[in-house]
mmCIF file of all heavy atoms in Angstrom:
data_model
loop_
_atom_site.group_PDB
_atom_site.id
_atom_site.type_symbol
_atom_site.label_atom_id
_atom_site.label_comp_id
_atom_site.label_asym_id
_atom_site.label_seq_id
_atom_site.Cartn_x
_atom_site.Cartn_y
_atom_site.Cartn_z
ATOM 1 N N ASN A 1284 18.233 14.529 -1.503
ATOM 2 C CA ASN A 1284 17.830 13.678 -2.618
ATOM 3 C C ASN A 1284 17.537 12.266 -2.128
ATOM 4 O O ASN A 1284 17.939 11.857 -1.037
ATOM 5 C CB ASN A 1284 18.926 13.651 -3.682
ATOM 6 C CG ASN A 1284 20.220 13.052 -3.162
ATOM 7 O OD1 ASN A 1284 20.766 13.542 -2.181
ATOM 8 N ND2 ASN A 1284 20.695 11.998 -3.796
ATOM 9 N N THR A 1285 16.824 11.494 -2.953
ATOM 10 C CA THR A 1285 16.394 10.146 -2.594
ATOM 11 C C THR A 1285 17.009 9.086 -3.489
ATOM 12 O O THR A 1285 17.384 8.010 -3.026
ATOM 13 C CB THR A 1285 14.856 10.037 -2.688
ATOM 14 O OG1 THR A 1285 14.266 10.960 -1.765
ATOM 15 C CG2 THR A 1285 14.382 8.638 -2.348
ATOM 16 N N PHE A 1286 17.086 9.339 -4.784
ATOM 17 C CA PHE A 1286 17.515 8.327 -5.747
ATOM 18 C C PHE A 1286 19.032 8.306 -5.894
ATOM 19 O O PHE A 1286 19.687 9.348 -5.857
ATOM 20 C CB PHE A 1286 16.891 8.594 -7.123
ATOM 21 C CG PHE A 1286 15.392 8.685 -7.108
ATOM 22 C CD1 PHE A 1286 14.738 9.553 -7.961
ATOM 23 C CD2 PHE A 1286 14.640 7.916 -6.246
ATOM 24 C CE1 PHE A 1286 13.356 9.656 -7.963
ATOM 25 C CE2 PHE A 1286 13.254 8.011 -6.229
ATOM 26 C CZ PHE A 1286 12.609 8.884 -7.092
ATOM 27 N N GLY A 1287 19.573 7.123 -6.127
ATOM 28 C CA GLY A 1287 20.993 6.995 -6.389
ATOM 29 C C GLY A 1287 21.796 6.710 -5.140
ATOM 30 O O GLY A 1287 21.300 6.838 -4.013
ATOM 31 N N PRO A 1288 23.062 6.335 -5.301
ATOM 32 C CA PRO A 1288 23.871 5.900 -4.165
ATOM 33 C C PRO A 1288 24.478 7.031 -3.345
ATOM 34 O O PRO A 1288 24.947 6.792 -2.239
ATOM 35 C CB PRO A 1288 24.978 5.077 -4.835
ATOM 36 C CG PRO A 1288 25.147 5.721 -6.174
ATOM 37 C CD PRO A 1288 23.765 6.145 -6.592
ATOM 38 N N HIS A 1289 24.487 8.245 -3.880
ATOM 39 C CA HIS A 1289 25.247 9.306 -3.230
ATOM 40 C C HIS A 1289 24.355 10.486 -2.839
ATOM 41 O O HIS A 1289 23.375 10.802 -3.508
ATOM 42 C CB HIS A 1289 26.363 9.817 -4.148
ATOM 43 C CG HIS A 1289 27.336 8.755 -4.542
ATOM 44 N ND1 HIS A 1289 28.049 8.034 -3.630
ATOM 45 C CD2 HIS A 1289 27.704 8.287 -5.761
ATOM 46 C CE1 HIS A 1289 28.824 7.168 -4.254
ATOM 47 N NE2 HIS A 1289 28.630 7.300 -5.548
ATOM 48 N N VAL A 1290 24.730 11.115 -1.742
ATOM 49 C CA VAL A 1290 24.119 12.382 -1.354
ATOM 50 C C VAL A 1290 24.579 13.448 -2.335
ATOM 51 O O VAL A 1290 25.769 13.565 -2.629
ATOM 52 C CB VAL A 1290 24.536 12.747 0.078
ATOM 53 C CG1 VAL A 1290 24.066 14.157 0.432
ATOM 54 C CG2 VAL A 1290 23.985 11.733 1.069
ATOM 55 N N ASP A 1291 23.648 14.214 -2.879
ATOM 56 C CA ASP A 1291 24.030 15.262 -3.832
ATOM 57 C C ASP A 1291 23.123 16.470 -3.675
ATOM 58 O O ASP A 1291 22.259 16.508 -2.803
ATOM 59 C CB ASP A 1291 24.025 14.725 -5.271
ATOM 60 C CG ASP A 1291 22.666 14.157 -5.688
ATOM 61 O OD1 ASP A 1291 21.630 14.734 -5.294
ATOM 62 O OD2 ASP A 1291 22.638 13.147 -6.418
ATOM 63 N N GLY A 1292 23.335 17.452 -4.525
ATOM 64 C CA GLY A 1292 22.621 18.722 -4.423
ATOM 65 C C GLY A 1292 21.431 18.824 -5.353
ATOM 66 O O GLY A 1292 21.151 19.914 -5.869
ATOM 67 N N TYR A 1293 20.717 17.716 -5.572
ATOM 68 C CA TYR A 1293 19.522 17.747 -6.410
ATOM 69 C C TYR A 1293 18.328 18.233 -5.588
ATOM 70 O O TYR A 1293 18.156 17.842 -4.431
ATOM 71 C CB TYR A 1293 19.232 16.360 -6.975
ATOM 72 C CG TYR A 1293 20.038 16.018 -8.209
ATOM 73 C CD1 TYR A 1293 21.432 15.974 -8.152
ATOM 74 C CD2 TYR A 1293 19.428 15.753 -9.420
ATOM 75 C CE1 TYR A 1293 22.187 15.678 -9.268
ATOM 76 C CE2 TYR A 1293 20.179 15.444 -10.552
ATOM 77 C CZ TYR A 1293 21.554 15.413 -10.465
ATOM 78 O OH TYR A 1293 22.298 15.104 -11.579
ATOM 79 N N LEU A 1294 17.510 19.066 -6.206
ATOM 80 C CA LEU A 1294 16.360 19.660 -5.530
ATOM 81 C C LEU A 1294 15.092 18.901 -5.897
ATOM 82 O O LEU A 1294 14.806 18.703 -7.089
ATOM 83 C CB LEU A 1294 16.219 21.127 -5.949
ATOM 84 C CG LEU A 1294 15.225 21.984 -5.173
ATOM 85 C CD1 LEU A 1294 15.702 22.190 -3.738
ATOM 86 C CD2 LEU A 1294 15.042 23.336 -5.857
ATOM 87 N N PRO A 1295 14.305 18.458 -4.918
ATOM 88 C CA PRO A 1295 13.060 17.755 -5.239
ATOM 89 C C PRO A 1295 12.033 18.692 -5.865
ATOM 90 O O PRO A 1295 11.941 19.870 -5.516
ATOM 91 C CB PRO A 1295 12.569 17.247 -3.878
ATOM 92 C CG PRO A 1295 13.761 17.309 -2.983
ATOM 93 C CD PRO A 1295 14.585 18.457 -3.479
ATOM 94 N N THR A 1296 11.245 18.138 -6.777
ATOM 95 C CA THR A 1296 10.116 18.853 -7.366
ATOM 96 C C THR A 1296 9.116 17.817 -7.848
ATOM 97 O O THR A 1296 9.291 16.624 -7.602
ATOM 98 C CB THR A 1296 10.580 19.785 -8.500
ATOM 99 O OG1 THR A 1296 9.468 20.560 -8.958
ATOM 100 C CG2 THR A 1296 11.162 18.996 -9.653
ATOM 101 N N ARG A 1297 8.071 18.241 -8.519
ATOM 102 C CA ARG A 1297 7.045 17.287 -8.944
ATOM 103 C C ARG A 1297 6.383 17.771 -10.224
ATOM 104 O O ARG A 1297 6.093 18.955 -10.385
ATOM 105 C CB ARG A 1297 5.989 17.120 -7.846
ATOM 106 C CG ARG A 1297 4.902 16.113 -8.174
ATOM 107 C CD ARG A 1297 3.965 15.905 -7.004
ATOM 108 N NE ARG A 1297 4.618 15.186 -5.913
ATOM 109 C CZ ARG A 1297 4.126 15.083 -4.691
ATOM 110 N NH1 ARG A 1297 2.989 15.685 -4.387
ATOM 111 N NH2 ARG A 1297 4.762 14.404 -3.759
ATOM 112 N N ALA A 1298 6.145 16.832 -11.143
ATOM 113 C CA ALA A 1298 5.494 17.154 -12.418
ATOM 114 C C ALA A 1298 4.051 16.686 -12.471
ATOM 115 O O ALA A 1298 3.309 17.115 -13.360
ATOM 116 C CB ALA A 1298 6.276 16.517 -13.575
ATOM 117 N N SER A 1299 3.642 15.795 -11.543
ATOM 118 C CA SER A 1299 2.291 15.219 -11.639
ATOM 119 C C SER A 1299 1.879 14.658 -10.295
ATOM 120 O O SER A 1299 2.670 14.618 -9.346
ATOM 121 C CB SER A 1299 2.275 14.107 -12.701
ATOM 122 O OG SER A 1299 3.090 13.024 -12.291
ATOM 123 N N ARG A 1300 0.641 14.211 -10.241
ATOM 124 C CA ARG A 1300 0.126 13.511 -9.069
ATOM 125 C C ARG A 1300 -0.603 12.254 -9.526
ATOM 126 O O ARG A 1300 -1.257 12.240 -10.559
ATOM 127 C CB ARG A 1300 -0.852 14.400 -8.272
ATOM 128 C CG ARG A 1300 -0.182 15.546 -7.546
ATOM 129 C CD ARG A 1300 -1.188 16.364 -6.761
ATOM 130 N NE ARG A 1300 -0.524 17.398 -5.967
ATOM 131 C CZ ARG A 1300 -1.147 18.286 -5.203
ATOM 132 N NH1 ARG A 1300 -2.470 18.277 -5.121
ATOM 133 N NH2 ARG A 1300 -0.469 19.179 -4.513
ATOM 134 N N GLY A 1301 -0.483 11.201 -8.719
ATOM 135 C CA GLY A 1301 -1.213 9.976 -9.002
ATOM 136 C C GLY A 1301 -0.365 8.930 -9.698
ATOM 137 O O GLY A 1301 0.718 9.210 -10.207
ATOM 138 N N CYS A 1302 -0.876 7.694 -9.692
ATOM 139 C CA CYS A 1302 -0.190 6.561 -10.313
ATOM 140 C C CYS A 1302 -1.229 5.696 -11.009
ATOM 141 O O CYS A 1302 -2.296 5.415 -10.432
ATOM 142 C CB CYS A 1302 0.559 5.750 -9.262
ATOM 143 S SG CYS A 1302 1.360 4.277 -9.925
ATOM 144 N N PRO A 1303 -0.962 5.244 -12.232
ATOM 145 C CA PRO A 1303 -1.954 4.451 -12.971
ATOM 146 C C PRO A 1303 -1.978 2.976 -12.590
ATOM 147 O O PRO A 1303 -2.818 2.234 -13.101
ATOM 148 C CB PRO A 1303 -1.501 4.620 -14.425
ATOM 149 C CG PRO A 1303 -0.025 4.818 -14.336
ATOM 150 C CD PRO A 1303 0.204 5.586 -13.061
ATOM 151 N N PHE A 1304 -1.089 2.521 -11.698
ATOM 152 C CA PHE A 1304 -1.002 1.102 -11.358
ATOM 153 C C PHE A 1304 -1.701 0.814 -10.025
ATOM 154 O O PHE A 1304 -2.020 1.729 -9.268
ATOM 155 C CB PHE A 1304 0.455 0.661 -11.328
ATOM 156 C CG PHE A 1304 1.085 0.664 -12.709
ATOM 157 C CD1 PHE A 1304 1.697 1.815 -13.192
ATOM 158 C CD2 PHE A 1304 1.029 -0.456 -13.509
ATOM 159 C CE1 PHE A 1304 2.267 1.831 -14.460
ATOM 160 C CE2 PHE A 1304 1.597 -0.445 -14.779
ATOM 161 C CZ PHE A 1304 2.210 0.695 -15.264
ATOM 162 N N SER A 1305 -1.934 -0.465 -9.746
ATOM 163 C CA SER A 1305 -2.724 -0.872 -8.578
ATOM 164 C C SER A 1305 -1.988 -1.934 -7.776
ATOM 165 O O SER A 1305 -2.501 -3.041 -7.549
ATOM 166 C CB SER A 1305 -4.103 -1.405 -9.023
ATOM 167 O OG SER A 1305 -4.825 -0.417 -9.709
ATOM 168 N N CYS A 1306 -0.812 -1.630 -7.309
ATOM 169 C CA CYS A 1306 -0.033 -2.572 -6.514
ATOM 170 C C CYS A 1306 -0.727 -2.801 -5.167
ATOM 171 O O CYS A 1306 -1.239 -1.857 -4.551
ATOM 172 C CB CYS A 1306 1.376 -2.046 -6.306
ATOM 173 S SG CYS A 1306 2.266 -1.746 -7.865
ATOM 174 N N ALA A 1307 -0.715 -4.040 -4.706
ATOM 175 C CA ALA A 1307 -1.509 -4.425 -3.541
ATOM 176 C C ALA A 1307 -0.988 -3.873 -2.232
ATOM 177 O O ALA A 1307 -1.713 -3.849 -1.230
ATOM 178 C CB ALA A 1307 -1.586 -5.949 -3.458
ATOM 179 N N TYR A 1308 0.259 -3.435 -2.184
ATOM 180 C CA TYR A 1308 0.890 -2.961 -0.957
ATOM 181 C C TYR A 1308 0.880 -1.441 -0.850
ATOM 182 O O TYR A 1308 1.244 -0.895 0.190
ATOM 183 C CB TYR A 1308 2.344 -3.431 -0.903
ATOM 184 C CG TYR A 1308 3.128 -3.044 -2.122
ATOM 185 C CD1 TYR A 1308 3.759 -1.807 -2.219
ATOM 186 C CD2 TYR A 1308 3.192 -3.881 -3.225
ATOM 187 C CE1 TYR A 1308 4.436 -1.433 -3.363
ATOM 188 C CE2 TYR A 1308 3.878 -3.519 -4.366
ATOM 189 C CZ TYR A 1308 4.496 -2.299 -4.435
ATOM 190 O OH TYR A 1308 5.156 -1.920 -5.581
ATOM 191 N N CYS A 1309 0.483 -0.737 -1.905
ATOM 192 C CA CYS A 1309 0.708 0.703 -2.024
ATOM 193 C C CYS A 1309 -0.573 1.492 -1.771
ATOM 194 O O CYS A 1309 -1.673 1.092 -2.197
ATOM 195 C CB CYS A 1309 1.252 1.011 -3.420
ATOM 196 S SG CYS A 1309 1.625 2.760 -3.681
ATOM 197 N N SER A 1310 -0.435 2.653 -1.121
ATOM 198 C CA SER A 1310 -1.583 3.522 -0.831
ATOM 199 C C SER A 1310 -2.058 4.308 -2.040
ATOM 200 O O SER A 1310 -3.175 4.839 -2.022
ATOM 201 C CB SER A 1310 -1.224 4.513 0.285
ATOM 202 O OG SER A 1310 -0.883 3.869 1.476
ATOM 203 N N ALA A 1311 -1.229 4.409 -3.088
ATOM 204 C CA ALA A 1311 -1.563 5.271 -4.222
ATOM 205 C C ALA A 1311 -2.890 4.920 -4.896
ATOM 206 O O ALA A 1311 -3.650 5.828 -5.261
ATOM 207 C CB ALA A 1311 -0.425 5.262 -5.242
ATOM 208 N N PRO A 1312 -3.243 3.632 -5.101
ATOM 209 C CA PRO A 1312 -4.532 3.345 -5.748
ATOM 210 C C PRO A 1312 -5.734 3.863 -4.947
ATOM 211 O O PRO A 1312 -6.632 4.488 -5.516
ATOM 212 C CB PRO A 1312 -4.544 1.815 -5.841
ATOM 213 C CG PRO A 1312 -3.113 1.420 -5.843
ATOM 214 C CD PRO A 1312 -2.436 2.403 -4.937
ATOM 215 N N ARG A 1313 -5.744 3.621 -3.636
ATOM 216 C CA ARG A 1313 -6.864 4.109 -2.810
ATOM 217 C C ARG A 1313 -6.853 5.626 -2.735
ATOM 218 O O ARG A 1313 -7.903 6.272 -2.742
ATOM 219 C CB ARG A 1313 -6.754 3.503 -1.417
ATOM 220 C CG ARG A 1313 -7.866 3.948 -0.468
ATOM 221 C CD ARG A 1313 -9.204 3.355 -0.852
ATOM 222 N NE ARG A 1313 -10.263 3.866 0.005
ATOM 223 C CZ ARG A 1313 -11.064 4.879 -0.310
ATOM 224 N NH1 ARG A 1313 -10.934 5.488 -1.497
ATOM 225 N NH2 ARG A 1313 -11.993 5.277 0.515
ATOM 226 N N TRP A 1314 -5.663 6.206 -2.674
ATOM 227 C CA TRP A 1314 -5.543 7.667 -2.659
ATOM 228 C C TRP A 1314 -6.113 8.256 -3.950
ATOM 229 O O TRP A 1314 -6.866 9.234 -3.927
ATOM 230 C CB TRP A 1314 -4.081 8.029 -2.491
ATOM 231 C CG TRP A 1314 -3.754 9.494 -2.412
ATOM 232 C CD1 TRP A 1314 -3.336 10.295 -3.425
ATOM 233 C CD2 TRP A 1314 -3.815 10.332 -1.253
ATOM 234 N NE1 TRP A 1314 -3.113 11.570 -2.980
ATOM 235 C CE2 TRP A 1314 -3.405 11.621 -1.648
ATOM 236 C CE3 TRP A 1314 -4.162 10.106 0.075
ATOM 237 C CZ2 TRP A 1314 -3.331 12.681 -0.752
ATOM 238 C CZ3 TRP A 1314 -4.091 11.170 0.965
ATOM 239 C CH2 TRP A 1314 -3.686 12.432 0.554
ATOM 240 N N GLY A 1315 -5.751 7.659 -5.074
ATOM 241 C CA GLY A 1315 -6.263 8.141 -6.348
ATOM 242 C C GLY A 1315 -7.766 8.004 -6.455
ATOM 243 O O GLY A 1315 -8.451 8.882 -7.000
#
Side-chain angles (χ1 to χ4, degrees):
N1284 63 303
T1285 299
F1286 304 146
H1289 301 302
V1290 172
D1291 58 38
Y1293 278 61
L1294 190 68
T1296 186
R1297 182 175 290 167
S1299 66
R1300 289 181 175 178
C1302 177
F1304 291 89
S1305 300
C1306 301
Y1308 54 86
C1309 182
S1310 299
R1313 180 70 184 97
W1314 182 263

